[in-house]
Amino acid sequence: MKPSGLTLLLLLCALLPAVASTPGEDAVRQMPMAHAALAGRDATVKVHLVSARGYLDGKPGDAAGLARLHAEVQACVQRNSERGIASKPPQAWPEHVISMRLDTYAAVNRSIVYAAGLSYAIDPRDCSLMEARTGTASLSSSLGTCEIDLLAKTAHGHCDATGHARAAPPRHQPAMTAAQRADIVRQAAGSPAMAAFAAAMQAHPQTGTGERKTIAGLECEVRPNPLDPDGRNCLSRGGSFSSLDAVGEAGMSGMTLEMSSPNGIALRATQARLDTLVPNAVFTPYLDGGFRITRPGSRP
């Protein structure tokens, strides 16, 4: 049987130097979380916090993307050699073609997510790796959102002086009981509309799978990934309040400690804490100086 193109790429990847990490990936991994960088300021806000590492694992998958990256470098070096052009193939290979780090802080009435991203591609001129970086933060609450570009130093939206400290807490809606769910399924027999609702409810159940894990020192409950029917999320239990992912459920702080998605992002927490105090400045990175802030309706 003739091997497929993907198989050949994977075999090629196995023959090339082992994947380690790039200086860029090391820098993202080692950078302190926002609250650690702000150590020494008054800790005034109770939050749940999670630092997670992830990568894009959409089809055909991260491994295939890395194999293709190696293959493209080899082809580039051979092409340049035939033309008498010098090449600079990479000395360090990335762990992932597209990777990210997400640092999430959730208070009872607001949350902010810091996102650092890296992506790699081949420079066809000398066969080196081109690295693209992103650094953003997104603050959200009942007041609206503030979208922050940490590299360009711009902020756009509802970016007030308090970091949404005055936002109202969300109104928690109670989770549907097992009896209520069973009643909907019974009603579906005589109603096409109810049947469609019941099918969607069963495809994306509110309740967990029954599986629990311990990740980064916290217990979490495995649930269907609402963005991918084939994926799973593990949401943290415990804590004195619920994040937006766990609205209305007692005992669920609801921080995402692990995410699997065959069609999207793979994510796992490396650090997590519930009910810990951090400086309010965690929610206002745009006030550190040098930022240009614009309001909704304007362009940053």
Tab-separated table of all heavy atoms in Angstrom, residues 129-166:
chain	number	residue	atom	x	y	z
A	129	LEU	N	13.035	30.109	10.757
A	129	LEU	CA	11.683	30.180	11.281
A	129	LEU	C	11.294	31.628	11.537
A	129	LEU	O	12.052	32.389	12.133
A	129	LEU	CB	11.568	29.398	12.596
A	129	LEU	CG	11.493	27.880	12.520
A	129	LEU	CD1	11.284	27.312	13.921
A	129	LEU	CD2	10.375	27.427	11.599
A	130	MET	N	10.123	31.993	11.073
A	130	MET	CA	9.553	33.299	11.404
A	130	MET	C	8.594	33.105	12.578
A	130	MET	O	7.776	32.181	12.589
A	130	MET	CB	8.807	33.887	10.209
A	130	MET	CG	9.690	34.163	9.011
A	130	MET	SD	8.789	35.019	7.675
A	130	MET	CE	7.627	33.736	7.196
A	131	GLU	N	8.733	33.974	13.575
A	131	GLU	CA	7.915	33.871	14.783
A	131	GLU	C	6.994	35.087	14.893
A	131	GLU	O	7.447	36.219	14.792
A	131	GLU	CB	8.818	33.814	16.011
A	131	GLU	CG	8.082	33.708	17.330
A	131	GLU	CD	9.045	33.708	18.510
A	131	GLU	OE1	9.388	34.811	19.002
A	131	GLU	OE2	9.485	32.610	18.937
A	132	ALA	N	5.715	34.834	15.057
A	132	ALA	CA	4.741	35.915	15.254
A	132	ALA	C	4.198	35.819	16.678
A	132	ALA	O	3.777	34.744	17.121
A	132	ALA	CB	3.604	35.798	14.253
A	133	ARG	N	4.205	36.944	17.393
A	133	ARG	CA	3.747	36.980	18.778
A	133	ARG	C	2.510	37.853	18.910
A	133	ARG	O	2.358	38.857	18.213
A	133	ARG	CB	4.832	37.534	19.701
A	133	ARG	CG	6.117	36.748	19.726
A	133	ARG	CD	6.995	37.221	20.871
A	133	ARG	NE	8.284	36.552	20.882
A	133	ARG	CZ	9.069	36.476	21.954
A	133	ARG	NH1	8.689	37.047	23.084
A	133	ARG	NH2	10.232	35.848	21.896
A	134	THR	N	1.657	37.465	19.835
A	134	THR	CA	0.519	38.305	20.219
A	134	THR	C	0.466	38.367	21.739
A	134	THR	O	0.877	37.435	22.429
A	134	THR	CB	-0.817	37.737	19.695
A	134	THR	OG1	-0.998	36.416	20.200
A	134	THR	CG2	-0.835	37.704	18.174
A	135	GLY	N	-0.045	39.480	22.235
A	135	GLY	CA	-0.223	39.654	23.679
A	135	GLY	C	-1.445	40.521	23.914
A	135	GLY	O	-1.443	41.713	23.577
A	136	THR	N	-2.511	39.933	24.425
A	136	THR	CA	-3.756	40.664	24.614
A	136	THR	C	-4.330	40.379	25.998
A	136	THR	O	-3.903	39.462	26.699
A	136	THR	CB	-4.803	40.257	23.559
A	136	THR	OG1	-5.111	38.868	23.717
A	136	THR	CG2	-4.299	40.511	22.145
A	137	ALA	N	-5.317	41.172	26.360
A	137	ALA	CA	-6.109	40.917	27.564
A	137	ALA	C	-7.538	41.349	27.270
A	137	ALA	O	-7.761	42.298	26.505
A	137	ALA	CB	-5.558	41.667	28.764
A	138	SER	N	-8.496	40.655	27.849
A	138	SER	CA	-9.908	40.979	27.644
A	138	SER	C	-10.606	41.021	28.992
A	138	SER	O	-10.680	40.009	29.692
A	138	SER	CB	-10.557	39.937	26.730
A	138	SER	OG	-11.921	40.237	26.519
A	139	LEU	N	-11.083	42.208	29.359
A	139	LEU	CA	-11.811	42.427	30.609
A	139	LEU	C	-13.298	42.463	30.305
A	139	LEU	O	-13.729	43.155	29.378
A	139	LEU	CB	-11.366	43.761	31.227
A	139	LEU	CG	-12.146	44.292	32.429
A	139	LEU	CD1	-11.995	43.381	33.641
A	139	LEU	CD2	-11.681	45.718	32.758
A	140	SER	N	-14.099	41.709	31.055
A	140	SER	CA	-15.535	41.678	30.771
A	140	SER	C	-16.340	41.617	32.063
A	140	SER	O	-15.897	41.076	33.070
A	140	SER	CB	-15.882	40.480	29.889
A	140	SER	OG	-15.521	39.271	30.522
A	141	SER	N	-17.537	42.199	31.991
A	141	SER	CA	-18.475	42.203	33.117
A	141	SER	C	-19.815	42.678	32.588
A	141	SER	O	-19.997	42.865	31.380
A	141	SER	CB	-17.978	43.139	34.224
A	141	SER	OG	-18.146	44.503	33.837
A	142	SER	N	-20.749	42.938	33.491
A	142	SER	CA	-22.050	43.462	33.086
A	142	SER	C	-21.937	44.857	32.490
A	142	SER	O	-22.858	45.329	31.817
A	142	SER	CB	-22.995	43.490	34.293
A	142	SER	OG	-22.475	44.336	35.305
A	143	LEU	N	-20.826	45.525	32.700
A	143	LEU	CA	-20.619	46.871	32.156
A	143	LEU	C	-20.209	46.841	30.684
A	143	LEU	O	-20.297	47.848	29.994
A	143	LEU	CB	-19.548	47.614	32.963
A	143	LEU	CG	-19.856	47.878	34.435
A	143	LEU	CD1	-18.669	48.562	35.104
A	143	LEU	CD2	-21.114	48.722	34.588
A	144	GLY	N	-19.744	45.704	30.217
A	144	GLY	CA	-19.270	45.602	28.839
A	144	GLY	C	-17.905	44.955	28.801
A	144	GLY	O	-17.534	44.189	29.702
A	145	THR	N	-17.136	45.267	27.772
A	145	THR	CA	-15.815	44.672	27.615
A	145	THR	C	-14.770	45.745	27.348
A	145	THR	O	-15.075	46.826	26.829
A	145	THR	CB	-15.791	43.662	26.451
A	145	THR	OG1	-16.102	44.350	25.232
A	145	THR	CG2	-16.756	42.521	26.678
A	146	CYS	N	-13.547	45.415	27.696
A	146	CYS	CA	-12.391	46.247	27.361
A	146	CYS	C	-11.370	45.322	26.710
A	146	CYS	O	-10.893	44.374	27.340
A	146	CYS	CB	-11.795	46.894	28.611
A	146	CYS	SG	-10.269	47.836	28.309
A	147	GLU	N	-11.088	45.560	25.435
A	147	GLU	CA	-10.139	44.734	24.690
A	147	GLU	C	-8.788	45.446	24.667
A	147	GLU	O	-8.690	46.593	24.228
A	147	GLU	CB	-10.630	44.483	23.267
A	147	GLU	CG	-11.974	43.775	23.189
A	147	GLU	CD	-11.941	42.379	23.780
A	147	GLU	OE1	-10.839	41.787	23.844
A	147	GLU	OE2	-13.014	41.873	24.167
A	148	ILE	N	-7.760	44.756	25.117
A	148	ILE	CA	-6.455	45.376	25.349
A	148	ILE	C	-5.392	44.677	24.516
A	148	ILE	O	-5.287	43.444	24.547
A	148	ILE	CB	-6.083	45.274	26.849
A	148	ILE	CG1	-7.208	45.835	27.719
A	148	ILE	CG2	-4.769	45.986	27.136
A	148	ILE	CD1	-7.382	45.127	29.037
A	149	ASP	N	-4.618	45.440	23.769
A	149	ASP	CA	-3.459	44.916	23.051
A	149	ASP	C	-2.227	45.302	23.868
A	149	ASP	O	-1.837	46.466	23.916
A	149	ASP	CB	-3.382	45.504	21.638
A	149	ASP	CG	-2.311	44.831	20.791
A	149	ASP	OD1	-1.235	44.522	21.332
A	149	ASP	OD2	-2.545	44.630	19.582
A	150	LEU	N	-1.625	44.329	24.535
A	150	LEU	CA	-0.519	44.600	25.445
A	150	LEU	C	0.766	44.948	24.719
A	150	LEU	O	1.657	45.571	25.300
A	150	LEU	CB	-0.294	43.385	26.344
A	150	LEU	CG	-1.481	43.002	27.236
A	150	LEU	CD1	-1.246	41.640	27.870
A	150	LEU	CD2	-1.720	44.066	28.306
A	151	LEU	N	0.890	44.548	23.445
A	151	LEU	CA	2.093	44.855	22.678
A	151	LEU	C	1.997	46.225	22.013
A	151	LEU	O	2.952	47.008	22.046
A	151	LEU	CB	2.338	43.763	21.627
A	151	LEU	CG	2.502	42.335	22.175
A	151	LEU	CD1	2.796	41.365	21.028
A	151	LEU	CD2	3.605	42.282	23.219
A	152	ALA	N	0.844	46.512	21.411
A	152	ALA	CA	0.641	47.817	20.771
A	152	ALA	C	0.274	48.896	21.773
A	152	ALA	O	0.263	50.080	21.439
A	152	ALA	CB	-0.459	47.709	19.711
A	153	LYS	N	-0.040	48.504	23.011
A	153	LYS	CA	-0.441	49.419	24.082
A	153	LYS	C	-1.664	50.254	23.682
A	153	LYS	O	-1.652	51.484	23.719
A	153	LYS	CB	0.725	50.328	24.494
A	153	LYS	CG	1.789	49.603	25.310
A	153	LYS	CD	2.824	50.562	25.860
A	153	LYS	CE	3.749	49.892	26.856
A	153	LYS	NZ	3.102	49.518	28.106
A	154	THR	N	-2.703	49.542	23.286
A	154	THR	CA	-3.987	50.178	23.015
A	154	THR	C	-5.072	49.439	23.791
A	154	THR	O	-4.942	48.241	24.077
A	154	THR	CB	-4.344	50.146	21.515
A	154	THR	OG1	-4.420	48.786	21.074
A	154	THR	CG2	-3.313	50.902	20.689
A	155	ALA	N	-6.125	50.156	24.134
A	155	ALA	CA	-7.272	49.549	24.806
A	155	ALA	C	-8.521	50.167	24.225
A	155	ALA	O	-8.583	51.378	23.971
A	155	ALA	CB	-7.199	49.787	26.317
A	156	HIS	N	-9.544	49.336	24.038
A	156	HIS	CA	-10.746	49.780	23.342
A	156	HIS	C	-11.971	49.236	24.046
A	156	HIS	O	-12.058	48.050	24.349
A	156	HIS	CB	-10.727	49.268	21.896
A	156	HIS	CG	-11.981	49.551	21.124
A	156	HIS	ND1	-12.402	50.827	20.817
A	156	HIS	CD2	-12.915	48.716	20.604
A	156	HIS	CE1	-13.531	50.757	20.129
A	156	HIS	NE2	-13.870	49.479	19.997
A	157	GLY	N	-12.920	50.115	24.344
A	157	GLY	CA	-14.177	49.691	24.953
A	157	GLY	C	-14.388	50.322	26.312
A	157	GLY	O	-13.970	51.457	26.563
A	158	HIS	N	-15.037	49.582	27.190
A	158	HIS	CA	-15.313	50.091	28.538
A	158	HIS	C	-14.082	49.806	29.403
A	158	HIS	O	-13.958	48.759	30.035
A	158	HIS	CB	-16.552	49.428	29.126
A	158	HIS	CG	-17.027	50.105	30.372
A	158	HIS	ND1	-18.055	51.027	30.375
A	158	HIS	CD2	-16.594	50.021	31.653
A	158	HIS	CE1	-18.235	51.478	31.620
A	158	HIS	NE2	-17.364	50.874	32.402
A	159	CYS	N	-13.168	50.749	29.415
A	159	CYS	CA	-11.885	50.604	30.119
A	159	CYS	C	-11.810	51.685	31.188
A	159	CYS	O	-11.136	52.708	31.017
A	159	CYS	CB	-10.721	50.717	29.150
A	159	CYS	SG	-10.888	49.687	27.658
A	160	ASP	N	-12.518	51.488	32.300
A	160	ASP	CA	-12.601	52.533	33.319
A	160	ASP	C	-11.425	52.464	34.287
A	160	ASP	O	-10.571	51.586	34.208
A	160	ASP	CB	-13.937	52.446	34.069
A	160	ASP	CG	-14.080	51.182	34.888
A	160	ASP	OD1	-13.101	50.399	34.957
A	160	ASP	OD2	-15.152	50.972	35.475
A	161	ALA	N	-11.399	53.403	35.226
A	161	ALA	CA	-10.270	53.531	36.144
A	161	ALA	C	-10.249	52.453	37.214
A	161	ALA	O	-9.238	52.282	37.902
A	161	ALA	CB	-10.297	54.914	36.795
A	162	THR	N	-11.351	51.709	37.368
A	162	THR	CA	-11.423	50.713	38.440
A	162	THR	C	-11.336	49.273	37.939
A	162	THR	O	-11.333	48.348	38.746
A	162	THR	CB	-12.742	50.858	39.222
A	162	THR	OG1	-13.843	50.463	38.391
A	162	THR	CG2	-12.945	52.287	39.695
A	163	GLY	N	-11.299	49.086	36.632
A	163	GLY	CA	-11.306	47.718	36.119
A	163	GLY	C	-12.616	47.009	36.357
A	163	GLY	O	-12.651	45.837	36.724
A	164	HIS	N	-13.729	47.737	36.166
A	164	HIS	CA	-15.085	47.192	36.318
A	164	HIS	C	-15.392	46.775	37.757
A	164	HIS	O	-16.217	45.901	38.005
A	164	HIS	CB	-15.301	45.998	35.388
A	164	HIS	CG	-15.271	46.325	33.931
A	164	HIS	ND1	-15.839	45.509	32.973
A	164	HIS	CD2	-14.750	47.375	33.238
A	164	HIS	CE1	-15.652	46.038	31.765
A	164	HIS	NE2	-14.982	47.177	31.916
A	165	ALA	N	-14.727	47.416	38.718
A	165	ALA	CA	-14.957	47.049	40.119
A	165	ALA	C	-16.408	47.253	40.536
A	165	ALA	O	-16.903	46.573	41.443
A	165	ALA	CB	-14.028	47.863	41.023
A	166	ARG	N	-17.106	48.199	39.904
A	166	ARG	CA	-18.494	48.502	40.290
A	166	ARG	C	-19.520	47.691	39.505
A	166	ARG	O	-20.719	47.920	39.620
A	166	ARG	CB	-18.769	49.995	40.101
A	166	ARG	CG	-17.868	50.896	40.948
A	166	ARG	CD	-18.250	52.369	40.791
A	166	ARG	NE	-17.374	53.228	41.555
A	166	ARG	CZ	-16.227	53.729	41.107
A	166	ARG	NH1	-15.841	53.459	39.868
A	166	ARG	NH2	-15.480	54.501	41.873
